Amino acid sequence: MGRPKGWMATRLGREPMRSPGRPSAWRREHRQEFWDLVGQGVSSEDAGERAGVSAVVGTRFFRHAGGMRDVSKEPLSRRFLSFVDREEIAILRAQNCAVRHIARALGRSPSTISRELRRNAASRGGKPEYRATSAQWHSDRRARRPKIAKLAGSPRLREYVQSRLEGTVTRSDGAPVAAPAIGTWNGRRHGPRQDRRWSTAWSPEQIAGRLKVDYPDDKGMRISHEAIYQALYIVGRGALRRELTCALRTGRALRVPWARSKRGKSFLTKEVMIAARPAEVNDRAIPGHWEGDLILGLGGVAIGTLVERTTRFTMLLHLPPMSEHKMIGTQVKNGPATAGHGADAVCDAIARTIAALPETLRKSLTWDQGAEMAQHARLRIQTGLPIYFADAHSPWQRPSNENTNGLLRQYFPKGTDFTRYALIDLEGVAKTLNERPRKTLGFKTPAEAMNELLLTARTGVATTG
């Protein structure tokens, strides 16, 4: 039997020399373009293909770097030969051009070309042959001079950071708490509704800030929070173990680029945001503009609310759950929302409810950015009702709806089981609210204010109160 590779080095007590492998098909320019695209929010697969490598290689770039850029944005200095220069050298060399001729063609010193041909030629075939890809690979491999990370070179600093990340949670008497038992780290983010590892779990920013408090005069005990993230996520830094990422609040095994985490809902565009809503909506002088939202109850079941801004007239949407809801083994991945408030169900409920109104009272609907309105384009086609979305985390942009939802909590407190109520029950609650006088309407009721509008819009229309 043949001896295994590296047996002599192992016998002599040294680490076996690893083969550098074969030249990679990608270059520095590919990685720079890849991270530029990822920084714009493009997925790893698409960024890899657009950068000139495969989708698999793009994913490998992202995972190896832990989701953090590991190559400089700066272009290669003209002091060094680029891949284009090496391609030109290979072509001229194949034409048996002399070194000085090649140097004149590239505007370089003859010694530069001579050194390039001597040091970066491919020699696996038994004789040196110059190929641009092999030469670039040799040059990149030789240029690697990784700087020792600050945490790797300072054991005291590393111990401080590590203890603040994975320190044991203790009771007031100093004894460890009865934390849940967690299995070994598998390199992935914790799953939904799973126990997580208990630790002191300071954030990198808290650790970096606290160092200045604990060691005000020791400049060696300083590190930025970004350096801690790099030590956690980038493979090969050799400072902190990757499994310590589970001690972070998010528990992400890979860091998510800012642009990718802020992509928002795919169904939202600038044309449907509240900034594009007509200015006439704000002063409430013109009726027909509505605000809407969902009220969640027990088991994820919900009802919808629609409020007219001028009259405060309220209509409720009945969103019954599907029969498969909460049944074990019936959930289908990417299937319909069995709780009853999926995009299709909400779109159909709004269309049925608002279709009874005359066109003059269907001027716009403002909703929050919930996924239940992903079918807003279909709703607009069916009803002719323009849909607008409030900014994220801005409930004050739908004040009438938020106020009405608060009033409805008198009848439907948090934790209400909405499956107990039929549509006729919801209509009864809405009727009660609409017959309650409002100070903002001069103590008229919303039903009376709506009746006046309906009578003005269409002669002989039935009253609502």
mmCIF file of all heavy atoms in Angstrom, residues 11 83 419 460:
data_model
loop_
_atom_site.group_PDB
_atom_site.id
_atom_site.type_symbol
_atom_site.label_atom_id
_atom_site.label_comp_id
_atom_site.label_asym_id
_atom_site.label_seq_id
_atom_site.Cartn_x
_atom_site.Cartn_y
_atom_site.Cartn_z
ATOM 1 N N ARG A 11 5.799 12.211 10.563
ATOM 2 C CA ARG A 11 6.801 11.418 11.289
ATOM 3 C C ARG A 11 7.845 12.303 11.937
ATOM 4 O O ARG A 11 8.346 12.007 13.028
ATOM 5 C CB ARG A 11 7.457 10.434 10.308
ATOM 6 C CG ARG A 11 8.465 9.500 10.959
ATOM 7 C CD ARG A 11 9.030 8.574 9.926
ATOM 8 N NE ARG A 11 10.018 7.692 10.510
ATOM 9 C CZ ARG A 11 10.733 6.819 9.810
ATOM 10 N NH1 ARG A 11 10.546 6.735 8.486
ATOM 11 N NH2 ARG A 11 11.616 6.047 10.399
ATOM 12 N N PHE A 83 -4.699 41.262 -14.186
ATOM 13 C CA PHE A 83 -4.974 40.065 -14.974
ATOM 14 C C PHE A 83 -4.952 40.381 -16.467
ATOM 15 O O PHE A 83 -4.510 39.554 -17.277
ATOM 16 C CB PHE A 83 -6.337 39.488 -14.570
ATOM 17 C CG PHE A 83 -6.688 38.226 -15.304
ATOM 18 C CD1 PHE A 83 -6.048 37.036 -15.009
ATOM 19 C CD2 PHE A 83 -7.659 38.230 -16.290
ATOM 20 C CE1 PHE A 83 -6.367 35.859 -15.685
ATOM 21 C CE2 PHE A 83 -7.986 37.071 -16.965
ATOM 22 C CZ PHE A 83 -7.335 35.877 -16.664
ATOM 23 N N THR A 419 -63.323 33.008 16.342
ATOM 24 C CA THR A 419 -64.086 31.948 15.689
ATOM 25 C C THR A 419 -65.492 31.815 16.282
ATOM 26 O O THR A 419 -66.356 31.158 15.700
ATOM 27 C CB THR A 419 -63.341 30.603 15.820
ATOM 28 O OG1 THR A 419 -63.177 30.284 17.216
ATOM 29 C CG2 THR A 419 -61.977 30.678 15.162
ATOM 30 N N GLY A 460 -82.280 58.862 -3.078
ATOM 31 C CA GLY A 460 -83.100 57.705 -2.784
ATOM 32 C C GLY A 460 -82.345 56.528 -2.228
ATOM 33 O O GLY A 460 -82.928 55.438 -2.131
#
